Amino acid sequence: MDKFCQKCGADLASSLKAENTKAFDAIIEEYEEAKVDAEEVPEGGAVLIVKKGPMVGQKFLLNKDKITIGRNLGSDIFLDDITVSRGHAEIDFDLKGAILKDLGSLNGTYVNNKLVEKAKLKNKDEIQIGRFKLVFLNKQS
């Protein structure tokens, strides 16, 4: 244990007493990884499958021109975790395909491990939103 605070230099040894402190084990969350099967995509449609994280294995049918993703209960895809912003991202479908847009989220949106503000999605792209890893499957891509 350090004797001095790394930020302010305060003497920790004299200010801490055993009866006032408690040690906790680190919280390490391990999640199963879902198997992603392209056969689960309806013809001409698209789905997002939670590959890793809370709700692993959950499937979301992307059946609207604009899909909202976030921690807001009104989101089309509700991801209930503090690492997800209320209005985190959206997927827009147009003639060019599926476009993922980050909506100014605090933790960012990643496609294939790259931080993005906007990205054209391709079949089997991996999207990370907070602790969720989702796979985009599209029969049209």
Side-chain angles (χ1 to χ4, degrees), residues 62-77:
L62 307 178
N63 58 356
K64 294 172 31 179
D65 289 340
K66 182 179 285 196
I67 304 290
T68 57
I69 304 169
R71 196 168 30 99
N72 183 338
L73 284 173
S75 297
D76 297 313
I77 298 176

Side-chain angles (χ1 to χ4, degrees), residues 12-116:
L12 296 176
S14 65
S15 63
L16 295 178
K17 295 180 182 167
E19 66 269 7
N20 294 332
T21 62
K22 187 170 187 170
F24 294 94
D25 291 330
I27 298 173
I28 300 172
E29 297 187 62
E30 293 285 329
Y31 295 104
E32 297 276 325
E33 190 166 315
K35 292 184 178 162
V36 178
D37 186 0
E39 298 302 316
E40 300 179 51
V41 183
E43 194 61 43
V47 296
L48 273 182
I49 299 175
V50 180
K51 180 181 174 184
K52 201 165 187 179
M55 301 166 49
V56 68
Q58 181 80 36
K59 298 170 189 79
F60 299 98
L61 181 61
L62 307 178
N63 58 356
K64 294 172 31 179
D65 289 340
K66 182 179 285 196
I67 304 290
T68 57
I69 304 169
R71 196 168 30 99
N72 183 338
L73 284 173
S75 297
D76 297 313
I77 298 176
F78 173 62
L79 300 177
D80 189 16
D81 190 81
I82 195 70
T83 61
V84 178
S85 295
R86 285 181 178 85
H88 198 103
E90 68 183 20
I91 299 174
D92 291 322
F93 289 90
D94 60 19
L95 297 174
K96 297 177 184 176
I99 307 295
L100 175 69
K101 297 178 190 171
D102 182 85
L103 300 177
S105 66
L106 186 61
N107 290 324
T109 301
Y110 295 80
V111 175
N112 301 323
N113 296 318
K114 291 183 184 175
L115 181 63
V116 299

